[in-house]
C-alpha cells in the first residue's frame, strides 16, 4: 500500500489531492453547512483569523464516528472564540441535522 492509499474494512481506497504535512497551509475547500439560517456553503476563507480544527469522519451513523463527533462537540464548547471546529462527513445535510438533533450536538 502506497502513502497515497488508505484502507477501509481492508479494502484500499485512493486518496486524491496533495499530501499534507504538519505545518502546511490548508488548501481551500467548499463544504455544505447547515445552520440556523439553513444550508450554506463555507470555505477556508470563512474562518480567516481563526484556528480551524477539522474532525473528518466517513459517516456519523457508525459507533466510532459518533463517539468522535460527540467528544469534539464537548471539547469545542470549551475552546476560545478564535477557534472553530468543523466535523466533516459524507452524510447528506438532512442526515447530519437528524444526527445533531438526536445527539444534542450544537457545535457541528
Amino acid at each position: 500500500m502506497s502513502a497515497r492509499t488508505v484502507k477501509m474494512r481492508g479494502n484500499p481506497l485512493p486518496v486524491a489531492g496533495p499530501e499534507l504535512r504538519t505545518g502546511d497551509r490548508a488548501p481551500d475547500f467548499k463544504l455544505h453547512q447547515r445552520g440556523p439560517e439553513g444550508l450554506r456553503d463555507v470555505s477556508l476563507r470563512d474562518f480567516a483569523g481563526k484556528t480551524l480544527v477539522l474532525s473528518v469522519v466517513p459517516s456519523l451513523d457508525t459507533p466510532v464516528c459518533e463517539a468522535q463527533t460527540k467528544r469534539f462537540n464537548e471539547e469545542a464548547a470549551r475552546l476560545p472564540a478564535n477557534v472553530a471546529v468543523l466535523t466533516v462527513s459524507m452524510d447528506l445535510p438532512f442526515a447530519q441535522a437528524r444526527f445533531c438533533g438526536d445527539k444534542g450536538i450544537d457545535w457541528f
Side-chain angles (χ1 to χ4, degrees):
M1 183 167 74
S2 74
R4 303 292 304 143
T5 305
V6 297
K7 286 188 176 183
M8 182 172 173
R9 295 186 179 149
N11 299 314
L13 298 171
V15 178
E19 184 175 350
L20 299 177
R21 302 199 187 284
T22 301
D24 286 352
R25 183 173 291 277
D28 198 15
F29 57 80
K30 182 170 76 170
L31 300 170
H32 303 301
Q33 182 181 49
R34 182 178 298 279
E37 61 281 339
L39 193 62
R40 69 183 183 113
D41 289 341
V42 296
S43 70
L44 186 60
R45 289 183 295 274
D46 293 305
F47 302 95
K50 292 189 173 197
T51 298
L52 178 61
V53 178
L54 296 175
S55 172
V56 181
V57 297
S59 175
L60 297 167
D61 290 321
T62 62
V64 172
C65 297
E66 177 183 333
Q68 176 177 319
T69 302
K70 288 167 74 174
R71 175 68 186 271
F72 268 74
N73 181 66
E74 292 165 5
E75 297 298 328
R78 293 194 268 284
L79 295 173
N82 67 336
V83 178
V85 177
L86 294 180
T87 296
V88 180
S89 77
M90 293 295 294
D91 300 294
L92 294 173
F94 78 87
Q96 293 172 345
R98 175 198 41 82
F99 174 85
C100 290
D102 289 351
K103 306 300 178 188
I105 305 272
D106 54 3
W107 287 90
F108 192 79

